[in-house]
């Protein structure tokens, strides 16, 4: 069974204080690892897809990296508007469809 | 705006009742997914349709059913509702040949 564990559950940062969010996963064969951002009461917003170990993707202050067992979302010099829940999900090769298995998320709060 | 439209945004109903949630995918997307998000379970995959056919099934209760119509919109039917069915229900769609899914803003269902 595919499993995704995110840590920490919650993270408080001061504006400008860089940090990393962790996503550990177990999957029979990885088709892709996905990062989403979710604001309260809203739908998840797609950020990145990573396909193979060593791959990195960047978008503004966010950088996602992937190893064979985990992924990191690095946040550089965060701003209050980066406050949200960040969700990690995996898609397995042996899925009949393209279903995503999500982790529990990391709730990020950035204080000015 | 992801381009995925869900209606209604909010729904309050009594136990034992039946409701229908509607989803219009992004233009051109053939795959539609339904997910449930509750406080204790996180985001859980329910079911996927591809061009009108069921493609994959997750932890969907027998009381729940879905379909995708020829115009590609989808409906999720929830019947014999229980208090525990209260949750956010998200629809997502993905482009053909791509792995990432784009989520709608969700329907918040409250069963009283």
């Amino acid at each position: 069974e595919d499993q995704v564990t995110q840590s920490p559950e919650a993270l408080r940062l001061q504006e400008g204080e860089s940090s990393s969010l962790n996503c550990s996963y177990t999957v029979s064969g990885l088709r892709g690892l996905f990062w989403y951002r979710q604001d309260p009461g809203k739908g998840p917003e797609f950020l990145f897809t990573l396909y193979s170990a060593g791959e990195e993707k960047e978008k503004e202050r966010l950088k996602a990296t992937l190893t064979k067992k985990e992924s990191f979302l690095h946040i550089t010099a965060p701003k209050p508007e980066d406050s949200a829940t960040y969700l990690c999900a995996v898609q397995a090769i042996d899925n009949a469809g393209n279903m995503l298995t999500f982790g529990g998320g990391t709730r990020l709060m950035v204080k000015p | 705006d992801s381009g995925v439209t869900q209606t209604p945004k909010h729904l309050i109903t009594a136990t034992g009742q039946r409701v229908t949630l509607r989803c219009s995918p992004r233009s051109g997307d053939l795959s539609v997914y339904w997910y449930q998000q509750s406080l204790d379970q996180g985001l859980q995959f329910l079911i996927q349709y591809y061009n009108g056919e069921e493609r994959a099934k997750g932890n969907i209760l027998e009381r729940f059913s879905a379909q995708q119509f020829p115009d590609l919109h989808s409906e999720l039917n929830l019947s014999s509702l229980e208090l525990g069915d209260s949750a956010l229900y998200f629809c997502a769609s993905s482009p053909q040949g791509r792995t990432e899914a784009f989520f709608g803003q969700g329907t918040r269902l409250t069963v009283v």
Side-chain angles (χ1 to χ4, degrees):
Chain A
E1 184 180 329
D2 305 334
Q3 287 195 329
V4 180
T5 303
Q6 291 188 247
S7 62
E9 287 187 10
L11 182 62
R12 288 175 180 264
L13 298 174
Q14 287 295 129
E15 184 172 2
E17 180 187 1
S18 301
S19 188
S20 295
L21 281 53
N22 178 264
C23 170
S24 297
Y25 65 91
T26 54
V27 64
S28 52
L30 183 69
R31 178 184 289 157
L33 184 139
F34 302 80
W35 283 98
Y36 285 85
R37 168 192 170 128
Q38 187 176 25
D39 293 301
K42 305 288 187 183
E45 175 191 346
F46 172 73
L47 293 174
F48 304 109
T49 310
L50 301 166
Y51 294 103
S52 57
E55 190 175 358
E56 300 182 350
K57 294 248 175 101
E58 285 189 67
K59 180 180 179 179
E60 296 179 358
R61 295 176 292 283
L62 300 177
K63 178 178 170 181
T65 62
L66 180 65
T67 72
K68 288 190 177 178
K69 293 185 177 181
E70 56 192 350
S71 177
F72 293 93
L73 185 65
H74 308 277
I75 303 177
T76 302
K79 298 182 178 183
E81 52 262 42
D82 294 322
S83 297
T85 296
Y86 290 85
L87 298 167
C88 172
V90 296
Q91 196 174 79
I93 287 174
D94 57 4
N95 277 350
N98 291 335
M99 59 172 281
L100 296 172
T101 300
F102 280 88
T106 293
R107 190 170 72 255
L108 174 66
M109 293 153 280
V110 182
K111 293 205 163 189
Chain B
D1 183 3
S2 68
V4 177
T5 304
Q6 290 187 247
T7 56
K9 286 188 170 47
H10 302 278
L11 200 48
I12 301 175
T13 190
T15 54
Q17 295 298 305
R18 172 189 169 93
V19 296
T20 297
L21 311 184
R22 183 188 167 99
C23 169
S24 294
R26 298 184 334 150
S27 177
D29 287 359
L30 301 179
S31 281
V32 169
Y33 313 80
W34 287 97
Y35 286 83
Q36 179 193 57
Q37 187 174 41
S38 57
L39 283 174
D40 56 344
Q41 293 288 321
L43 258 170
Q44 300 278 318
F45 170 71
L46 294 177
I47 197 163
Q48 177 196 358
Y49 278 81
Y50 177 82
N51 201 22
E53 299 289 326
E54 183 183 303
R55 174 64 68 91
K57 219 169 190 176
N59 298 323
I60 187 166
L61 299 172
E62 285 192 12
R63 299 183 285 109
F64 297 0
S65 64
Q67 54 185 330
Q68 186 179 26
F69 294 87
D71 68 351
L72 301 178
H73 93 269
S74 179
E75 293 181 355
L76 179 66
N77 301 295
L78 315 176
S79 62
S80 303
L81 284 167
E82 302 175 359
L83 296 177
D85 297 326
S86 296
L88 270 166
Y89 290 85
F90 289 105
C91 171
S93 71
S94 59
Q96 192 171 3
R98 302 283 297 274
T99 53
E100 59 269 23
F102 298 90
F103 284 76
Q105 292 302 294
T107 294
R108 181 176 293 279
L109 173 67
T110 303
V111 182
V112 297

